[in-house]
Amino acid sequence: MFGKERQRQILAYLNKHERATVNQLAILFSVSKETIRNDLNLLAEQGVVERCHGGAIILRRIFHSQPVNNVGISIEKFLNQVNRRKHSMINKKGKLMISKICILGSFNVDIIAKVDRFPKSGESILASNTIIGPGGKGANQAMAASKCPVQVHFVGKVGNDHFGQMAHDHLSSSDIRSFTLYQDEEHKTGSAIIYVSEPAGENKIAIYSGANQYITEAEVASIAGELADAKIFLTQLENNFEATALALNMAHRSGVKTILNPAPYSDRAKECLQYVDYLTPNETEASLMSGVEINDIESAKEAAQIIKSLGAKNIIITMGSQGALIYDGEQFIHIPALKAVSIDTTGAGDAFNGAFAAAIAQGQPLLSAAKFASAFASLAVEREGASNMPEYEAVLSRLAQYERK
Ligand code: RIB
């Protein structure tokens, strides 16, 4: 077997088993340990594996440039796999040992224009700056969660183009522990044109979804292992709805708690609310879903009750400067927003969702998780760029503001 083919097979093996020793691989491929060490060093240089002490290695980065074969989906088969994996991760007290989050979502390249005010129809205005950077609600949420003490696995799809390479570089250089990035040969990587108005950091966004909309059922099925290992599954609505709904269904049926951030809003979200443990709309999305125009806490409560009746277990409506409203079916809790010097609100919802998922994965109760997420988001709006997330320690200091309230 040629070196390249062996290295491809080593990656496939690691994709399935997460780690292996040099010895195991040498036996598996009938080559010397020295040959395997050379292969691993090469793969490590490419940033797709991480060497660790004792010759064992951990797979960190997965880049699927080949389409996944259409293997067909058997939910029963998936559940069997889940139960086997869960069993091996449970300690003597019956508790899951690792807080791991799996996020299925979008990657976009954001093209941002900083303006004094938004242009009127037909008007040309000058921007004070333009910035091109990584974005996409899914990838931003993964960035946020990765700042917290949890392991994050991100799953997304990009095109075979320069922006797709940007996605790979961005994820590789982040704290996201591992990712599965599918590559579409026909469709371009998603992109978003964003105006950010400088006085208040408000934004207007137009998204071209591109490859994000072409995740296949087979590709969702092939992340079964990552889903099975996770405590929390988080997703949004920037991918094709079928893939999102299938992943939510798989997570729900395997006992993984699910979070759906219904953004950008689609009425189809209602079709999968029975699989959702935590629904996190902003006030606009909650208004669209419930038919109640939200303009204060009372109308938000009314909307939350209607959404609850549609099937979601817990509803957390984020309301910008009005804070957030939590409804678990029994009681409403309103948490006020923390003071922030807003520079760029793009990605504030993503910051909230990623941080919320991390806190829930760590076992925090709903109220503390929402407070942590609010503190996280309040720091995120003080930074430029949708994927530019604050450090965990800074969030803990900001969180102390709640104690003083
Ligand atoms: O939530 C902000 C994100 O929405 C941006 O990064 C943009 O890419 C769009 O997906």
Side-chain angles (χ1 to χ4, degrees):
M1 187 188 294
F2 290 116
K4 276 233 172 324
E5 176 56 17
R6 189 176 53 248
Q7 286 147 24
R8 201 187 61 74
Q9 290 198 20
I10 290 175
L11 277 182
Y13 180 89
L14 287 165
N15 198 354
K16 201 163 164 206
H17 301 277
E18 269 243 334
R19 56 176 62 218
T21 61
V22 169
N23 207 16
Q24 278 169 339
L25 293 172
I27 294 168
L28 193 66
F29 293 100
S30 312
V31 291
S32 69
K33 289 190 209 166
E34 200 44 44
T35 305
I36 293 293
R37 272 190 206 103
N38 287 339
D39 287 340
L40 295 180
N41 287 342
L42 264 170
L43 292 169
E45 273 167 30
Q46 292 163 18
V48 286
V49 301
E50 198 175 80
R51 299 294 308 269
C52 68
H53 186 68
I57 59 166
I58 300 170
L59 178 72
R60 274 180 56 86
R61 315 291 179 198
I62 316 163
F63 194 42
H64 286 288
S65 53
Q66 303 294 322
V68 171
N69 293 333
N70 201 337
V71 287
I73 317 279
S74 158
I75 296 259
E76 299 316 321
K77 195 170 147 200
F78 161 74
L79 286 174
N80 286 339
Q81 273 184 41
V82 169
N83 289 336
R84 276 204 304 276
R85 291 180 80 114
K86 281 256 184 282
H87 187 70
S88 64
M89 290 165 57
I90 286 172
N91 70 11
K92 285 186 190 143
K93 288 185 182 161
K95 285 199 164 174
L96 273 180
M97 291 181 288
I98 325 165
S99 292
K100 196 167 165 186
I101 298 176
C102 180
I103 300 177
L104 168 71
S106 55
F107 173 86
N108 295 327
V109 168
D110 289 351
I111 301 158
I112 306 157
K114 305 273 289 184
V115 290
D116 287 341
R117 60 173 177 82
F118 299 124
K120 294 189 191 119
S121 171
E123 186 189 21
S124 300
I125 58 168
L126 294 177
S128 62
N129 196 6
T130 55
I131 303 155
I132 298 184
K137 296 188 195 309
N140 296 343
Q141 293 180 13
M143 285 298 286
S146 76
K147 295 290 181 184
C148 308
V150 288
Q151 290 181 1
V152 179
H153 183 83
F154 173 71
V155 183
K157 192 161 190 170
V158 293
N160 185 4
D161 49 24
H162 180 62
F163 282 179
Q165 189 57 48
M166 265 178 79
H168 186 263
D169 296 347
H170 167 61
L171 296 167
S172 296
S173 59
S174 73
D175 292 328
I176 295 168
R177 183 174 175 272
S178 57
F179 58 83
T180 304
L181 201 53
Y182 294 112
Q183 198 175 60
D184 193 305
E185 293 301 319
E186 279 175 52
H187 302 96
K188 289 185 289 185
T189 302
S191 54
I193 310 292
I194 306 179
Y195 287 109
V196 176
S197 82
E198 293 194 90
E202 285 166 354
N203 63 70
K204 289 197 176 188
I205 309 180
I207 302 165
Y208 163 70
S209 300
N212 291 308
Q213 284 289 328
Y214 293 91
I215 297 197
T216 65
E217 292 197 347
E219 285 164 347
V220 173
S222 71
I223 60 159
E226 296 298 337
L227 260 185
D229 285 351
K231 257 192 165 177
I232 296 291
F233 172 66
L234 166 64
T235 192
Q236 329 72 31
L237 296 177
E238 274 186 354
N239 298 111
N240 41 317
F241 182 74
E242 293 69 24
T244 305
L246 175 65
L248 278 168
N249 184 344
M250 282 167 57
H252 173 74
R253 291 190 61 184
S254 60
V256 178
K257 291 270 181 260
T258 60
I259 304 174
L260 173 64
N261 173 221
Y265 184 73
S266 155
D267 226 30
R268 292 202 70 186
K270 290 178 184 166
E271 294 170 32
C272 60
L273 291 184
Q274 73 267 33
Y275 311 132
V276 175
D277 292 292
Y278 303 94
L279 187 80
T280 57
N282 65 17
E283 53 200 310
T284 312
E285 291 142 10
S287 293
L288 289 167
M289 189 173 267
S290 64
V292 174
E293 198 183 322
I294 300 178
N295 36 40
D296 54 17
I297 306 299
E298 282 316 304
S299 48
K301 285 182 180 173
E302 202 188 321
Q305 271 172 322
I306 293 174
I307 295 171
K308 169 81 187 157
S309 73
L310 298 175
K313 279 201 190 64
N314 298 281
I315 295 103
I316 301 98
I317 303 180
T318 56
M319 301 173 69
S321 58
Q322 292 197 74
L325 179 78
I326 302 171
Y327 182 52
D328 63 1
E330 286 180 5
Q331 55 170 340
F332 295 104
I333 305 177
H334 172 244
I335 52 172
L338 294 174
K339 279 204 187 80
V341 183
S342 180
I343 290 179
D344 182 356
T345 56
T346 325
D350 302 334
F352 183 95
N353 276 278
F356 179 72
I360 293 284
Q362 286 176 288
Q364 290 192 36
L366 180 51
L367 177 58
S368 331
K371 281 183 175 174
F372 174 78
S374 291
F376 194 103
S378 78
L379 279 162
V381 300
E382 295 183 349
R383 304 161 75 94
E384 264 186 4
S387 63
N388 186 4
M389 299 298 171
E391 296 303 324
Y392 184 66
E393 290 68 27
V395 183
L396 295 183
S397 318
R398 173 80 39 112
L399 193 56
Q401 274 191 24
Y402 273 121
E403 315 312 326
R404 295 196 285 271
K405 270 190 184 270

